[in-house]
Amino acid sequence: MAGIYVHIPFCRQACHYCNFYFSVSLASKNGFIGALLKEIVLQQTYLAGELVDTLYFGGGTPSLLERGDLSEIMAAIRTNFQVSPQAEITLEANPDDISIEKLSSWKAVGVNRLSIGIQSFIEKDLRWMNRAHNAEQARTCIALAQSAGFTNLSVDLIYGTPGLGDQEWQEIVDAVIGMHIPHLSCYALTVETGTALDKMIAQHKREPADPEQQARQFLQLVDRLGDAGYEHYEISNFARPGMRSRHNASYWAGTRYLGLGPSAHSYNGRSRQWNVASNLRYGQELEKGILPFESETLTLVQHLNEYIMTSLRTAEGLDTSRVGKLYGAGATGQLEASSAKYINNGHLTRNGSFLQLSREGKLFADGIAADLFFLPGTMPDDVPAAVRT
């Protein structure tokens, strides 16, 4: 099984915190669609004939696409790739784009899952982020999607923004639970270098994020959703039983995927590649029949470190027996030794051969993973020959 990600690099306006590649000028949209269709054809062998089980339209704002645009892209993908009849097909949508007409058109072209960028139900919070929608739209769009027959819904929420009180955050989470949303992706506000928010904080026009507030609201989220029956299956993701995001879960499992569009990333099991983050250069290169990407072949250490990083983020955790089978007993021993201090301080727990982050350990996931990483040139000598080659 494999996945395809399509990056739609357009937005109505720039959210202050966002560092994804996008343009607020829609003038080049038609040219982009033409270039994307060319890339689909040129990349038809990338997944080596594997069945495509998930298709994800992200951005940017894919909900800006017209029905004809989306239909054309879907048709090209189905023509050039083997897409499973049961494929999960997700479209990211902003509340202000959601209407009965749009919902109907998305269903007609095969979209069966929506990921809605709610972020907050509180007006002042949305204004602080410079979101294009308001609090009323944040609520009504969910009812519209449900009335149109979309049962596989996810919403994005952001916590830890300056001025967001714990009680307000509780009310946001309770609102989602009350709306019977089966999936949530929840992120702490991150101040990315070069974003509008980063510059405003540097100019003292915005308050910086408070790590203590973010930690407190994360644990508040974990406990409330756990009580409501949601599965915390990845650091930032929660789902009702059976409603995990198949596309995102495939990333964490190391499944092959193809990224299409400017700045999109791909992985074929051996190497990673990433497209140029420029609509202009993307279109120019494809007009000449050239795929506009750079790539790197992953080393053995990089493969292992990626497994450590992604597996620790999941509910299942890091399987030390898998590490032993793939990389040898020496690698398992090194991992056991470096993880001991986190088991002792309660940030990691052991469940058979699996190492799992505890409730509090999830607050330190990135740092713990980085501390468990293998340094270049430090792989033990007993790595199986088949893996070395």
Side-chain angles (χ1 to χ4, degrees):
M1 296 291 189
I4 292 177
Y5 171 82
V6 184
H7 188 76
I8 307 300
F10 299 101
C11 288
R12 293 191 194 281
Q13 66 186 47
C15 300
H16 289 157
Y17 56 84
C18 183
N19 73 330
F20 291 123
Y21 176 70
F22 65 92
S23 170
V24 293
S25 171
L26 300 180
S28 62
K29 183 169 73 70
N30 290 341
F32 159 73
I33 298 295
L36 178 62
L37 296 175
K38 288 185 174 70
E39 187 187 11
I40 291 170
V41 174
L42 291 172
Q43 288 282 38
Q44 62 181 284
T45 62
Y46 183 81
L47 297 174
E50 285 196 56
L51 187 66
V52 174
D53 187 51
T54 65
L55 176 56
Y56 194 104
F57 289 87
T61 312
S63 53
L64 287 175
L65 292 176
E66 300 297 331
R67 175 172 177 168
D69 297 332
L70 192 56
S71 180
E72 198 170 11
I73 296 167
M74 290 285 290
I77 289 173
R78 292 186 184 280
T79 297
N80 289 278
F81 298 91
Q82 185 182 356
V83 180
S84 168
Q86 289 77 44
E88 175 192 88
I89 302 176
T90 303
L91 180 100
E92 288 185 351
N94 277 356
D96 47 304
D97 290 326
I98 294 178
S99 65
I100 294 296
E101 294 74 24
K102 284 244 179 171
L103 289 162
S104 176
S105 70
W106 295 337
K107 289 196 78 173
V109 300
V111 174
N112 53 31
R113 182 175 184 270
L114 292 181
S115 177
I116 306 176
I118 297 292
Q119 315 310 353
S120 179
F121 295 110
I122 297 176
E123 197 68 48
K124 66 179 175 64
D125 220 18
L126 294 170
R127 288 198 302 269
W128 190 91
M129 298 181 211
N130 200 40
R131 295 292 292 172
H133 66 277
N134 58 39
E136 182 181 359
Q137 289 171 317
R139 292 179 180 275
T140 59
C141 72
I142 293 173
L144 279 176
Q146 290 171 327
S147 68
F150 281 97
T151 57
N152 196 351
L153 291 176
S154 178
V155 301
D156 285 359
L157 298 176
I158 293 179
Y159 59 89
T161 55
L164 178 66
D166 292 353
Q167 182 58 40
E168 290 176 313
W169 175 233
Q170 182 78 47
E171 291 168 2
I172 292 171
V173 176
D174 285 344
V176 172
I177 295 170
M179 293 175 185
H180 307 290
I181 305 299
H183 189 281
L184 293 84
S185 296
C186 304
Y187 306 98
L189 175 72
T190 303
V191 183
E192 302 286 357
T193 302
T195 60
L197 180 58
D198 179 45
K199 295 173 184 175
M200 286 189 286
I201 290 174
Q203 296 167 358
H204 305 289
K205 295 179 179 178
R206 287 286 191 278
E207 293 179 53
D210 177 0
E212 290 187 7
Q213 173 200 3
Q214 294 187 333
R216 190 173 62 248
Q217 292 182 354
F218 172 76
L219 294 177
Q220 185 181 353
L221 169 74
V222 170
D223 293 343
R224 182 66 187 96
L225 290 179
D227 290 342
Y230 285 80
E231 176 188 21
H232 190 189
Y233 73 101
E234 193 271 343
I235 292 291
S236 303
N237 289 272
F238 304 78
R240 294 287 189 187
M243 300 302 289
R244 293 186 181 192
S245 166
R246 284 158 49 190
H247 185 82
N248 289 344
S250 70
Y251 288 157
W252 307 317
T255 302
R256 294 174 182 173
Y257 59 89
L258 169 64
L260 301 164
S263 78
H265 286 231
S266 303
Y267 172 67
N268 64 7
R270 302 178 306 279
S271 64
R272 296 200 180 278
Q273 63 186 49
W274 51 95
N275 285 349
V276 61
S278 163
N279 286 352
L280 179 61
R281 287 182 55 199
Y282 175 80
Q284 289 174 337
E285 294 294 287
L286 283 162
E287 185 64 32
K288 295 182 286 189
I290 299 171
L291 287 168
F293 68 82
E294 296 180 49
S295 65
E296 67 170 345
T297 299
L298 299 180
T299 66
L300 200 60
V301 167
Q302 286 175 314
H303 273 291
L304 176 52
N305 286 345
E306 287 202 3
Y307 173 67
I308 291 170
M309 177 180 66
T310 56
S311 64
L312 267 185
R313 293 183 64 88
T314 67
E316 288 72 26
L318 192 166
D319 186 359
T320 57
S321 69
R322 173 179 170 175
V323 172
K325 289 174 185 175
L326 290 177
Y327 304 99
T332 302
Q334 185 172 327
L335 198 55
E336 297 278 7
S338 57
S339 64
K341 62 183 176 183
Y342 296 110
I343 294 173
N344 291 336
N345 70 14
H347 287 166
L348 282 176
T349 62
R350 181 177 291 284
N351 182 8
S353 65
F354 288 85
L355 295 174
Q356 299 167 333
L357 291 168
S358 66
R359 173 179 177 272
E360 289 73 20
K362 289 170 182 166
L363 293 168
F364 308 98
D366 291 344
I368 293 172
D371 199 28
L372 300 185
F373 283 170
F374 286 66
L375 298 175
T378 62
M379 289 297 294
D381 294 334
D382 65 340
V383 175
V387 176
R388 288 189 181 275
T389 57

